């Protein structure tokens, strides 16, 4: 951390900063310039302390963080890429893993039909929501426990691992029994109570990026999962909130190489929630693979016109099958496969 | 809702839209223009249905919502201002209610000192966090139950109602026993599980705006509380995330008149979390009162330099006392009092 | 500037950084930590050099700016508040200066009616656009030269100084002949060609904030005006682009105290363009005065329903007169007057 | 346009809306619901009129635009893709056109070296800035006329068309003499004076997206160029301003398919300005090609460590050559070539 004093700060003010630094067991190095004094704080864990503790002291003008606030998710702690193994399917390796299925589980018929068609087209993991975070209390909230039962049934029938969202801290162990991967949704990325519980679970977890959280905050949230002992963390970029109104969220494609640069965790992309419209999903999905994403999370519905939730962003069976063909070619062009 | 068909859409496509409208029990009125057909959907509860159910149909170009998605929080459902009564203190009336105190409860001494000084300066409700949402798992997480005990003690000693945050759905009844007002934090504004539980509690609740949520989403979240039977909902604007980096969050001052226009609920302002720096708090607090806010939520610490959390945005005792004097003058200039 | 080297950077890499620093005539101070080396760059004009020149060097991880990139607009260069004198009216002093009038000059009748009514209600400067920046080429583009003539006429008739926008670098001297204050619009805040020309003019200038520019970029743009020799710079906050859709732009109320902290220049607020709707203008205007703004720029139209441009955000004569009464009370409550 | 009246609006208010509609020569169709009246406005050019002219009328609650405000840039006006021909190189066809070179022209040696290496690696158009928009007046502003001369020299020597930025409306014809493509920079996307002048020029133009402008605003700005008679419009996505701070701007990858959906104009991508760091450029460039972009605009410098401007985001010769190889494979995987 770098503490820059105001022009004209007194010796007492500077001494108080130094004393504060020492109280954390850290060292200082002083830069006494002609205009102002700059105090460099030297220590290996300064990233975990708020800059405020120095900024609040008299005579301090700015405090700048050099170290990142996240730790366990960083490449500095673990240089090589992490692989997450889900029933033999490796996420983060050469294979690009496609997770596909309906936004919400709506009925046995719908889920089985969806599972059959996404598997047929080449998806390796089935997605489907049993609990749905809905902005209005008057909207359909998901099939809940009955939905979990259907997911288990689909998993057994098709031999595909299943990913589903958990919203309530009280449901973590129940959902972990039914699902192979727990999903923490965008609106819960900073629900630290839920993160702590999922961190203690032994299930791999997809951590969706909060739609207004920085990559740094996202990796710091991943630290909650990793600190609990859960090493199966898969990051999922799903679009951020911006001023642009032609899409539901703006997919932050640069987040893929940024994550690869700073973290060892695998990162997948959800083009469906970003786009908000099925016609934009293929282009975003293709871009994600070209940019280096380790997988995709795509909404597919046997009959989007009858979907109870998010039908507009769901691909039709034919479109999904076509997209998978295109994705295979792009995967090969970047030295990977689906 | 207004469904605009694409130029050249077929009769079958238009009929399918009409059929879908009728399936909800609504009426249509057709506008057959020279270039395109526009279908107006007529019904009293169209706001509660997603526009997607029409947008996904073939031949549809755009679907526009006329009615707001929130209901119980709207002025259309309740025209007169709601008043929230907390132990005799009315929020939403002529009096501007100042809630003040430390960000986090740190010790008995700290809390009692803070309570004494904010009461002395004219605050009527004591704030203090026992459970703290922290972006990093390695940061101080609050005194938790011991903090709640101290809040109860302060409340008894000073006869001031207490507001404190609840983060975990499992803690709602415990926190409701200690606190007079439950606070739902910004990061939990769309934690629908928590909203549902707080909605069932009998305690008034401060619902902080999600830092990247629109006013419409905020009022829809308030519907969760109101739908559960909790009528004591107090909205709190605390800044939104923008590109501007000279403050922690950009306080959306226009949210105050916007809320007053569309909702009957009282709205207060938290200048401390928005500013992120004590030197900016007074100007924002004064602006909030001038703009019509019903109250303020301000961080004050007996000794900000020693604060464990958010010391930089906490006012010192003297500065708070001075601010209260200035606020009284502004309150009077807009026909209110503190 | 603080250059933080990567863990494991070599002596050669560090030496290259030092050499680069010396090439600017600056000094370094080295901080050799256990994990990484940090090079502090010491010099009085480091703010004017891009951090990139160091960040691009091998072995460098991050470069952090300590000094602001603006210079002439900063409090460090000039500690006391600047006053801008416009025909005897002082902007930046105790008096809060209200500039009011129609968005666009539409006709002699409309302008004279507007001038009379805003003067009557207490405004001291007349605003009116002769050249209008319009997002579509098919929209009304202003009365142009004829509009300037009308502004001169109104100025002579009512004895009020006039502020109007200049968009084209070729028009600067022509507009400067007609107007007492030149306005640089939000979309031109980083039109450096125009800034340079206005900087050379002897007319005071209102520099509107780019709707997506930071305060730092705004003050750096002000440096263009000041560097040209124009000391009559008045900053105008008019709302920034955010995700919130209930207003046209989100007024950044904190920009007022932030400007006061870092700059000596006066700052006024335009509540009309931010709100986009007349019903929200009074609350924002009152907030601005309470927050410490030195003036207001308000759209008022004798008959908003017939306005050619921005009628929706224009106040009616009665509403403006009422607002002026309210503003006087608030101005007094913060020790100022209108 | 759809005008929704407030609940309880009077017959007089509704009649006034109808009268206003008729004043534009348009028709209305009335929807008299149980709760409110909705007036549909029918006409072929309603997109060119502001919604404000209705929103300002008494009794109106909301006005919703159905038609887009842009016209000439839309697919409705021209269904097939536009091709822009630059000295025989077609932009918008099967070939993906790579424009590469230094951010700023710095010297003859630098420019010639850059031209040779980018041509060698497969770029077909040379980029280089002679006039540089700089946020600070104290930064290097470009070689100006001397830079233009060097660009002409490079063009002649290498037989490559040249693209360069024009910032000043007074320089348009001079720059058009030296360059094959005029570039309108991001900060000038809504400099309507400049757009009008470039629209009258016969040179093809790259219109960079304003970093805080919506796709709709961007296409409306393109209308300025098209309305002037310039059909050679090439759109360039270069990143938008968001809260994310790990990149300079967030590249809006979805803008590529959105433009393809709504407009006939070719669209290219500038990964360099978005990323702000060379290490992120390749991933973004590859994503752009996979998403369907018609070309790329990439900064390459013979020696980025010595660059006067934006060295950090410039690729080194080797990295650019490698990237071109990767891009060729991706182009083939989507049925195109470089």
């Amino acid at each position: 951390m770098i503490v820059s004093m105001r022009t004209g700060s007194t010796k007492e003010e500077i001494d108080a900063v130094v004393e504060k630094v020492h109280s954390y067991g850290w060292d200082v190095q002083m830069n006494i310039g002609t205009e102002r004094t700059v105090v460099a704080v030297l220590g290996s864990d300064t990233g975990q302390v708020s800059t405020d503790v120095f900024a609040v002291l008299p005579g301090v003008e700015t405090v700048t963080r050099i170290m990142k606030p996240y730790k366990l998710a960083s490449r500095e702690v673990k240089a090589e890429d992490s692989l997450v193994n889900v029933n033999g399917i490796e996420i983060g390796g050469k294979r690009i893993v496609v997770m596909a299925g309906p936004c919400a589980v709506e009925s046995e018929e719908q889920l089985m039909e969806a599972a059959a068609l996404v598997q047929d087209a080449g998806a390796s993991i089935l997605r489907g929501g049993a609990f749905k975070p809905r902005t209005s209390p008057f909207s359909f909230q998901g099939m809940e426990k009955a939905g979990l039962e259907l997911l288990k049934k689909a998993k057994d029938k098709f031999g595909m691992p299943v990913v589903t969202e958990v919203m309530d801290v009280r449901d973590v162990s129940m959902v972990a029994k039914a699902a192979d991967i727990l999903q923490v949704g965008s609106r819960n990325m900073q629900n630290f109570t839920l993160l702590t519980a999922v961190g203690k679970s032994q299930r791999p977890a997809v951590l969706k990026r909060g739609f207004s959280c920085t990559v740094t905050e996202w990796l710091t949230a991943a630290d909650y999962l990793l600190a609990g002992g859960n090493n199966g963390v898969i990051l999922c970029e799903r679009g951020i909130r911006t001023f642009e109104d032609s899409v539901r969220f703006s997919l932050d494609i640069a987040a893929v190489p940024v994550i690869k640069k700073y973290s060892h965790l695998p990162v997948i992309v959800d083009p469906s929630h970003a786009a908000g419209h099925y016609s934009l999903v293929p282009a975003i999905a293709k871009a994600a693979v070209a940019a280096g994403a380790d997988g995709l999370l795509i909404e597919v519905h046997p009959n989007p016109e009858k979907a109870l939730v998010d039908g507009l962003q769901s691909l039709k069976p034919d479109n999904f099958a076509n997209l998978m063909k295109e994705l295979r070619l792009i995967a090969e062009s970047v030295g990977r496969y689906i």
Side-chain angles (χ1 to χ4, degrees), chain A residues 212-259:
Chain A
S212 281
C213 291
T214 63
V215 169
T216 298
E217 290 169 331
W218 190 13
L219 290 173
T220 311
D223 263 9
Y224 267 93
L225 299 178
L226 295 164
N230 189 337
N231 290 314
V233 178
I234 303 154
L235 301 168
C236 180
E237 161 66 31
R238 46 77 74 205
I240 58 175
R241 181 157 277 181
T242 70
F243 59 82
E244 174 57 37
D245 57 5
S246 63
V247 284
R248 194 167 280 183
F249 295 93
S250 298
L251 192 102
D252 181 8
I253 193 72
V256 175
V258 169
I259 288 287

Short mmCIF file of all heavy atoms in Angstrom, two decimals, chain A residues 212-259:
data_model
loop_
_atom_site.label_atom_id
_atom_site.label_comp_id
_atom_site.label_asym_id
_atom_site.label_seq_id
_atom_site.Cartn_x
_atom_site.Cartn_y
_atom_site.Cartn_z
N SER A 212 -23.17 -6.25 -11.41
CA SER A 212 -22.50 -4.96 -11.25
C SER A 212 -21.28 -5.08 -10.39
O SER A 212 -20.91 -4.13 -9.71
CB SER A 212 -23.46 -3.94 -10.66
OG SER A 212 -24.30 -3.46 -11.67
N CYS A 213 -20.65 -6.23 -10.44
CA CYS A 213 -19.45 -6.41 -9.63
C CYS A 213 -18.22 -6.46 -10.55
O CYS A 213 -18.28 -7.00 -11.64
CB CYS A 213 -19.56 -7.68 -8.81
SG CYS A 213 -20.84 -7.52 -7.52
N THR A 214 -17.14 -5.90 -10.06
CA THR A 214 -15.89 -5.93 -10.80
C THR A 214 -15.29 -7.33 -10.76
O THR A 214 -15.66 -8.15 -9.91
CB THR A 214 -14.87 -4.95 -10.18
OG1 THR A 214 -14.59 -5.40 -8.85
CG2 THR A 214 -15.40 -3.54 -10.13
N VAL A 215 -14.35 -7.58 -11.64
CA VAL A 215 -13.65 -8.86 -11.62
C VAL A 215 -12.95 -9.04 -10.28
O VAL A 215 -12.94 -10.14 -9.72
CB VAL A 215 -12.64 -8.92 -12.79
CG1 VAL A 215 -11.71 -10.12 -12.64
CG2 VAL A 215 -13.38 -8.98 -14.13
N THR A 216 -12.42 -7.97 -9.74
CA THR A 216 -11.75 -8.07 -8.43
C THR A 216 -12.73 -8.51 -7.35
O THR A 216 -12.43 -9.39 -6.54
CB THR A 216 -11.12 -6.70 -8.08
OG1 THR A 216 -10.13 -6.40 -9.07
CG2 THR A 216 -10.48 -6.72 -6.71
N GLU A 217 -13.92 -7.93 -7.33
CA GLU A 217 -14.92 -8.35 -6.34
C GLU A 217 -15.36 -9.80 -6.55
O GLU A 217 -15.65 -10.52 -5.59
CB GLU A 217 -16.14 -7.42 -6.41
CG GLU A 217 -15.86 -6.01 -5.91
CD GLU A 217 -16.97 -5.03 -6.24
OE1 GLU A 217 -17.68 -5.23 -7.25
OE2 GLU A 217 -17.13 -4.05 -5.49
N TRP A 218 -15.41 -10.19 -7.80
CA TRP A 218 -15.82 -11.55 -8.15
C TRP A 218 -14.79 -12.56 -7.61
O TRP A 218 -15.15 -13.56 -6.98
CB TRP A 218 -15.92 -11.61 -9.67
CG TRP A 218 -16.51 -12.77 -10.34
CD1 TRP A 218 -17.25 -13.80 -9.80
CD2 TRP A 218 -16.42 -13.04 -11.75
NE1 TRP A 218 -17.62 -14.66 -10.80
CE2 TRP A 218 -17.13 -14.23 -11.99
CE3 TRP A 218 -15.82 -12.38 -12.82
CZ2 TRP A 218 -17.24 -14.77 -13.28
CZ3 TRP A 218 -15.93 -12.92 -14.08
CH2 TRP A 218 -16.63 -14.10 -14.31
N LEU A 219 -13.53 -12.27 -7.83
CA LEU A 219 -12.49 -13.18 -7.35
C LEU A 219 -12.43 -13.16 -5.83
O LEU A 219 -12.11 -14.17 -5.19
CB LEU A 219 -11.14 -12.81 -7.98
CG LEU A 219 -11.05 -13.12 -9.48
CD1 LEU A 219 -9.75 -12.58 -10.07
CD2 LEU A 219 -11.16 -14.62 -9.74
N THR A 220 -12.77 -12.02 -5.21
CA THR A 220 -12.79 -11.96 -3.76
C THR A 220 -13.96 -12.80 -3.22
O THR A 220 -13.86 -13.45 -2.18
CB THR A 220 -12.87 -10.50 -3.29
OG1 THR A 220 -11.86 -9.75 -3.97
CG2 THR A 220 -12.63 -10.37 -1.80
N ALA A 221 -15.08 -12.80 -3.96
CA ALA A 221 -16.20 -13.67 -3.58
C ALA A 221 -15.81 -15.14 -3.73
O ALA A 221 -16.19 -15.99 -2.91
CB ALA A 221 -17.42 -13.35 -4.44
N ALA A 222 -15.02 -15.44 -4.76
CA ALA A 222 -14.55 -16.82 -4.93
C ALA A 222 -13.71 -17.25 -3.73
O ALA A 222 -13.72 -18.43 -3.33
CB ALA A 222 -13.73 -16.95 -6.22
N ASP A 223 -13.01 -16.29 -3.13
CA ASP A 223 -12.22 -16.60 -1.93
C ASP A 223 -13.11 -17.16 -0.80
O ASP A 223 -12.65 -17.97 0.00
CB ASP A 223 -11.51 -15.33 -1.43
CG ASP A 223 -10.06 -15.24 -1.92
OD1 ASP A 223 -9.66 -16.07 -2.77
OD2 ASP A 223 -9.32 -14.36 -1.45
N TYR A 224 -14.36 -16.68 -0.72
CA TYR A 224 -15.28 -17.23 0.29
C TYR A 224 -15.47 -18.73 0.08
O TYR A 224 -15.50 -19.51 1.03
CB TYR A 224 -16.65 -16.54 0.22
CG TYR A 224 -16.82 -15.36 1.15
CD1 TYR A 224 -16.55 -14.07 0.72
CD2 TYR A 224 -17.27 -15.54 2.46
CE1 TYR A 224 -16.72 -12.99 1.57
CE2 TYR A 224 -17.44 -14.46 3.31
CZ TYR A 224 -17.16 -13.18 2.87
OH TYR A 224 -17.33 -12.11 3.71
N LEU A 225 -15.65 -19.13 -1.18
CA LEU A 225 -15.85 -20.57 -1.46
C LEU A 225 -14.58 -21.35 -1.18
O LEU A 225 -14.60 -22.40 -0.54
CB LEU A 225 -16.27 -20.76 -2.93
CG LEU A 225 -17.57 -20.08 -3.36
CD1 LEU A 225 -17.83 -20.31 -4.85
CD2 LEU A 225 -18.75 -20.63 -2.54
N LEU A 226 -13.45 -20.82 -1.66
CA LEU A 226 -12.18 -21.52 -1.50
C LEU A 226 -11.77 -21.58 -0.03
O LEU A 226 -11.24 -22.60 0.43
CB LEU A 226 -11.10 -20.80 -2.33
CG LEU A 226 -11.32 -20.83 -3.86
CD1 LEU A 226 -10.45 -19.78 -4.55
CD2 LEU A 226 -11.03 -22.21 -4.44
N ALA A 227 -12.04 -20.51 0.69
CA ALA A 227 -11.66 -20.48 2.11
C ALA A 227 -12.46 -21.52 2.90
O ALA A 227 -12.01 -22.01 3.93
CB ALA A 227 -11.89 -19.09 2.70
N GLY A 228 -13.64 -21.88 2.41
CA GLY A 228 -14.45 -22.89 3.10
C GLY A 228 -13.99 -24.31 2.77
O GLY A 228 -14.51 -25.27 3.34
N GLY A 229 -13.06 -24.43 1.85
CA GLY A 229 -12.54 -25.75 1.53
C GLY A 229 -13.07 -26.31 0.21
O GLY A 229 -12.72 -27.42 -0.19
N ASN A 230 -13.90 -25.54 -0.47
CA ASN A 230 -14.45 -26.02 -1.74
C ASN A 230 -13.52 -25.59 -2.88
O ASN A 230 -13.47 -24.41 -3.23
CB ASN A 230 -15.86 -25.43 -1.94
CG ASN A 230 -16.58 -26.06 -3.12
OD1 ASN A 230 -15.95 -26.60 -4.03
ND2 ASN A 230 -17.90 -26.02 -3.08
N ASN A 231 -12.82 -26.52 -3.46
CA ASN A 231 -11.87 -26.18 -4.52
C ASN A 231 -12.48 -26.24 -5.92
O ASN A 231 -11.83 -25.87 -6.89
CB ASN A 231 -10.65 -27.09 -4.46
CG ASN A 231 -9.82 -26.78 -3.23
OD1 ASN A 231 -9.55 -25.62 -2.93
ND2 ASN A 231 -9.47 -27.82 -2.49
N GLY A 232 -13.71 -26.74 -6.01
CA GLY A 232 -14.32 -26.89 -7.33
C GLY A 232 -15.04 -25.65 -7.79
O GLY A 232 -16.23 -25.69 -8.11
N VAL A 233 -14.34 -24.54 -7.84
CA VAL A 233 -14.99 -23.27 -8.19
C VAL A 233 -14.87 -22.99 -9.69
O VAL A 233 -13.77 -22.98 -10.24
CB VAL A 233 -14.38 -22.10 -7.39
CG1 VAL A 233 -15.03 -20.78 -7.78
CG2 VAL A 233 -14.52 -22.35 -5.90
N ILE A 234 -16.02 -22.78 -10.33
CA ILE A 234 -16.08 -22.44 -11.75
C ILE A 234 -16.70 -21.05 -11.85
O ILE A 234 -17.82 -20.83 -11.39
CB ILE A 234 -16.98 -23.45 -12.50
CG1 ILE A 234 -16.46 -24.88 -12.31
CG2 ILE A 234 -17.07 -23.09 -13.99
CD1 ILE A 234 -17.55 -25.93 -12.44
N LEU A 235 -15.98 -20.11 -12.44
CA LEU A 235 -16.51 -18.75 -12.58
C LEU A 235 -17.39 -18.68 -13.83
O LEU A 235 -17.11 -19.35 -14.82
CB LEU A 235 -15.36 -17.76 -12.69
CG LEU A 235 -14.41 -17.76 -11.48
CD1 LEU A 235 -13.14 -16.97 -11.81
CD2 LEU A 235 -15.09 -17.17 -10.25
N CYS A 236 -18.43 -17.88 -13.79
CA CYS A 236 -19.29 -17.75 -14.97
C CYS A 236 -19.62 -16.28 -15.26
O CYS A 236 -20.34 -15.63 -14.50
CB CYS A 236 -20.59 -18.54 -14.78
SG CYS A 236 -21.70 -18.40 -16.20
N GLU A 237 -19.07 -15.79 -16.37
CA GLU A 237 -19.40 -14.43 -16.83
C GLU A 237 -20.76 -14.47 -17.51
O GLU A 237 -20.99 -15.29 -18.41
CB GLU A 237 -18.32 -13.96 -17.82
CG GLU A 237 -18.70 -12.79 -18.72
CD GLU A 237 -18.93 -11.49 -17.99
OE1 GLU A 237 -18.29 -11.24 -16.95
OE2 GLU A 237 -19.79 -10.70 -18.47
N ARG A 238 -21.66 -13.56 -17.12
CA ARG A 238 -23.03 -13.58 -17.65
C ARG A 238 -23.54 -12.19 -18.02
O ARG A 238 -24.73 -11.99 -18.17
CB ARG A 238 -23.96 -14.28 -16.68
CG ARG A 238 -23.83 -13.87 -15.24
CD ARG A 238 -24.45 -12.56 -14.93
NE ARG A 238 -25.90 -12.71 -14.91
CZ ARG A 238 -26.75 -11.73 -15.15
NH1 ARG A 238 -26.28 -10.51 -15.41
NH2 ARG A 238 -28.04 -11.91 -15.12
N GLY A 239 -22.61 -11.26 -18.17
CA GLY A 239 -23.04 -9.92 -18.59
C GLY A 239 -23.13 -8.98 -17.41
O GLY A 239 -23.47 -9.38 -16.31
N ILE A 240 -22.80 -7.73 -17.67
CA ILE A 240 -22.83 -6.70 -16.63
C ILE A 240 -23.82 -5.63 -17.03
O ILE A 240 -24.18 -5.48 -18.19
CB ILE A 240 -21.42 -6.09 -16.41
CG1 ILE A 240 -20.84 -5.49 -17.70
CG2 ILE A 240 -20.49 -7.13 -15.82
CD1 ILE A 240 -19.51 -4.77 -17.50
N ARG A 241 -24.25 -4.87 -16.04
CA ARG A 241 -25.23 -3.81 -16.30
C ARG A 241 -24.50 -2.56 -16.79
O ARG A 241 -23.60 -2.05 -16.12
CB ARG A 241 -25.99 -3.51 -15.02
CG ARG A 241 -27.04 -2.45 -15.21
CD ARG A 241 -28.13 -2.54 -14.17
NE ARG A 241 -29.14 -3.53 -14.53
CZ ARG A 241 -30.22 -3.80 -13.80
NH1 ARG A 241 -30.43 -3.16 -12.67
NH2 ARG A 241 -31.09 -4.70 -14.21
N THR A 242 -24.92 -2.08 -17.94
CA THR A 242 -24.36 -0.85 -18.50
C THR A 242 -25.53 0.00 -18.99
O THR A 242 -26.69 -0.37 -18.80
CB THR A 242 -23.43 -1.16 -19.69
OG1 THR A 242 -24.24 -1.62 -20.79
CG2 THR A 242 -22.41 -2.24 -19.35
N PHE A 243 -25.21 1.09 -19.65
CA PHE A 243 -26.26 1.97 -20.18
C PHE A 243 -26.86 1.42 -21.48
O PHE A 243 -27.92 1.88 -21.91
CB PHE A 243 -25.68 3.37 -20.45
CG PHE A 243 -24.55 3.33 -21.42
CD1 PHE A 243 -24.79 3.31 -22.79
CD2 PHE A 243 -23.24 3.26 -20.99
CE1 PHE A 243 -23.74 3.22 -23.69
CE2 PHE A 243 -22.19 3.17 -21.89
CZ PHE A 243 -22.45 3.16 -23.24
N GLU A 244 -26.21 0.47 -22.11
CA GLU A 244 -26.68 -0.03 -23.41
C GLU A 244 -28.01 -0.78 -23.24
O GLU A 244 -28.12 -1.66 -22.39
CB GLU A 244 -25.63 -0.94 -24.03
CG GLU A 244 -26.04 -1.64 -25.30
CD GLU A 244 -26.49 -0.68 -26.42
OE1 GLU A 244 -25.90 0.39 -26.54
OE2 GLU A 244 -27.45 -1.02 -27.14
N ASP A 245 -28.98 -0.46 -24.08
CA ASP A 245 -30.31 -1.04 -23.89
C ASP A 245 -30.77 -1.98 -25.01
O ASP A 245 -31.93 -2.38 -25.01
CB ASP A 245 -31.34 0.08 -23.67
CG ASP A 245 -31.34 1.06 -24.84
OD1 ASP A 245 -30.64 0.83 -25.83
OD2 ASP A 245 -32.07 2.07 -24.74
N SER A 246 -29.87 -2.35 -25.91
CA SER A 246 -30.29 -3.29 -26.95
C SER A 246 -30.13 -4.74 -26.51
O SER A 246 -30.54 -5.66 -27.21
CB SER A 246 -29.50 -3.05 -28.25
OG SER A 246 -28.12 -3.29 -28.03
N VAL A 247 -29.51 -4.93 -25.37
CA VAL A 247 -29.36 -6.26 -24.78
C VAL A 247 -29.78 -6.19 -23.32
O VAL A 247 -29.89 -5.09 -22.76
CB VAL A 247 -27.88 -6.74 -24.83
CG1 VAL A 247 -27.50 -7.20 -26.22
CG2 VAL A 247 -26.94 -5.66 -24.35
N ARG A 248 -30.00 -7.35 -22.70
CA ARG A 248 -30.40 -7.33 -21.29
C ARG A 248 -29.20 -6.92 -20.42
O ARG A 248 -29.34 -6.12 -19.51
CB ARG A 248 -30.95 -8.70 -20.90
CG ARG A 248 -31.68 -8.69 -19.58
CD ARG A 248 -32.48 -9.94 -19.33
NE ARG A 248 -33.78 -9.95 -20.02
CZ ARG A 248 -34.67 -10.91 -19.91
NH1 ARG A 248 -34.42 -11.95 -19.13
NH2 ARG A 248 -35.81 -10.85 -20.56
N PHE A 249 -28.05 -7.52 -20.70
CA PHE A 249 -26.80 -7.18 -20.01
C PHE A 249 -25.69 -7.17 -21.06
O PHE A 249 -25.79 -7.88 -22.06
CB PHE A 249 -26.47 -8.20 -18.92
CG PHE A 249 -27.47 -8.22 -17.79
CD1 PHE A 249 -28.54 -9.11 -17.81
CD2 PHE A 249 -27.36 -7.34 -16.74
CE1 PHE A 249 -29.47 -9.11 -16.78
CE2 PHE A 249 -28.29 -7.34 -15.70
CZ PHE A 249 -29.35 -8.23 -15.72
N SER A 250 -24.64 -6.41 -20.83
CA SER A 250 -23.52 -6.35 -21.77
C SER A 250 -22.50 -7.41 -21.40
O SER A 250 -21.88 -7.32 -20.34
CB SER A 250 -22.86 -4.97 -21.73
OG SER A 250 -23.76 -3.97 -22.12
N LEU A 251 -22.31 -8.40 -22.25
CA LEU A 251 -21.33 -9.43 -21.93
C LEU A 251 -19.93 -8.82 -21.94
O LEU A 251 -19.52 -8.21 -22.92
CB LEU A 251 -21.39 -10.61 -22.91
CG LEU A 251 -20.56 -11.75 -22.32
CD1 LEU A 251 -21.45 -12.81 -21.71
CD2 LEU A 251 -19.58 -12.32 -23.29
N ASP A 252 -19.22 -9.02 -20.86
CA ASP A 252 -17.86 -8.47 -20.72
C ASP A 252 -16.87 -9.51 -21.24
O ASP A 252 -16.31 -10.29 -20.47
CB ASP A 252 -17.62 -8.15 -19.23
CG ASP A 252 -16.24 -7.56 -19.00
OD1 ASP A 252 -15.53 -7.25 -19.98
OD2 ASP A 252 -15.86 -7.43 -17.82
N ILE A 253 -16.67 -9.50 -22.54
CA ILE A 253 -15.83 -10.54 -23.16
C ILE A 253 -14.40 -10.48 -22.64
O ILE A 253 -13.73 -11.52 -22.50
CB ILE A 253 -15.88 -10.43 -24.71
CG1 ILE A 253 -15.28 -11.68 -25.35
CG2 ILE A 253 -15.16 -9.19 -25.23
CD1 ILE A 253 -16.14 -12.91 -25.23
N ALA A 254 -13.93 -9.28 -22.30
CA ALA A 254 -12.56 -9.16 -21.81
C ALA A 254 -12.38 -9.82 -20.45
O ALA A 254 -11.25 -10.10 -20.04
CB ALA A 254 -12.15 -7.68 -21.72
N ALA A 255 -13.48 -10.08 -19.76
CA ALA A 255 -13.35 -10.74 -18.46
C ALA A 255 -12.69 -12.11 -18.61
O ALA A 255 -12.00 -12.58 -17.70
CB ALA A 255 -14.71 -10.89 -17.79
N VAL A 256 -12.87 -12.74 -19.77
CA VAL A 256 -12.26 -14.07 -19.96
C VAL A 256 -10.73 -13.98 -19.90
O VAL A 256 -10.12 -14.63 -19.05
CB VAL A 256 -12.78 -14.73 -21.26
CG1 VAL A 256 -12.07 -16.04 -21.52
CG2 VAL A 256 -14.30 -14.95 -21.18
N PRO A 257 -10.08 -13.18 -20.76
CA PRO A 257 -8.62 -13.11 -20.61
C PRO A 257 -8.17 -12.47 -19.31
O PRO A 257 -7.09 -12.80 -18.80
CB PRO A 257 -8.17 -12.28 -21.83
CG PRO A 257 -9.39 -11.55 -22.29
CD PRO A 257 -10.55 -12.45 -21.96
N VAL A 258 -8.96 -11.56 -18.74
CA VAL A 258 -8.57 -10.96 -17.46
C VAL A 258 -8.53 -12.02 -16.37
O VAL A 258 -7.56 -12.11 -15.59
CB VAL A 258 -9.52 -9.79 -17.08
CG1 VAL A 258 -9.29 -9.35 -15.64
CG2 VAL A 258 -9.32 -8.61 -18.03
N ILE A 259 -9.55 -12.86 -16.32
CA ILE A 259 -9.57 -13.95 -15.33
C ILE A 259 -8.37 -14.88 -15.55
O ILE A 259 -7.69 -15.28 -14.60
CB ILE A 259 -10.90 -14.74 -15.44
CG1 ILE A 259 -12.07 -13.92 -14.90
CG2 ILE A 259 -10.80 -16.09 -14.74
CD1 ILE A 259 -12.10 -13.77 -13.40
#
